[in-house]
Amino acid sequence: MPAARITVTLPPELVEEIDRRERNRSRFVLDAIRREVQRRRREDLRRSLANPHPESSVLADAGLEDWGGRARQGESSELLDLSEGRPVRWVRGRGWVDAKR
């Protein structure tokens, strides 16, 4: 993707601090902006999960109950193909990893 040029005005002491830490200002600013955008996305997701829209909660609950009922009755084949995917487990600080590790 081609880069877009923008002009950002920063206090001189902040520019000096950046220059002491990184030779490439653009890279430094890009990394900082990416981290901030990711942080805000996570914050938005947390807020959304903590306060879901009432209609989506009703829909999700109904779908989960339907799927759970079918799975208990052995009718889940159209909803879930157990031969696909691979077993994983959650490891704090690392995320999802292969279950065999």
Side-chain angles (χ1 to χ4, degrees):
M1 176 187 301
R5 284 193 166 271
I6 63 169
T7 300
V8 178
T9 304
L10 300 171
E13 61 274 6
L14 186 57
V15 173
E16 291 171 8
E17 181 74 21
I18 292 169
D19 288 347
R20 277 195 297 273
R21 297 178 181 280
E22 174 66 50
R23 188 180 306 171
N24 186 329
R25 285 183 193 163
S26 293
R27 182 181 322 137
F28 184 90
V29 172
L30 176 62
D31 290 345
I33 291 170
R34 281 186 173 147
R35 279 193 302 277
E36 180 62 16
V37 168
Q38 288 174 345
R39 185 191 70 77
R40 290 183 184 202
R41 283 181 183 155
R42 286 190 304 270
E43 184 179 294
D44 290 345
L45 178 58
R46 284 188 191 107
R47 189 173 25 257
S48 175
L49 292 172
N51 302 298
H53 189 279
E55 291 177 11
S56 65
S57 294
V58 170
L59 261 163
D61 291 344
L64 185 58
E65 288 174 17
D66 182 43
W67 178 81
R70 288 184 185 187
R72 282 189 297 276
Q73 296 168 7
E75 301 174 22
S76 62
S77 61
E78 70 218 38
L79 298 172
L80 180 64
D81 184 353
L82 297 176
S83 68
E84 292 295 321
R86 65 184 195 273
V88 295
R89 64 185 173 88
W90 179 258
V91 176
R92 187 179 188 119
R94 290 185 51 212
W96 291 103
V97 298
D98 287 328
K100 296 177 181 174
R101 286 187 179 176

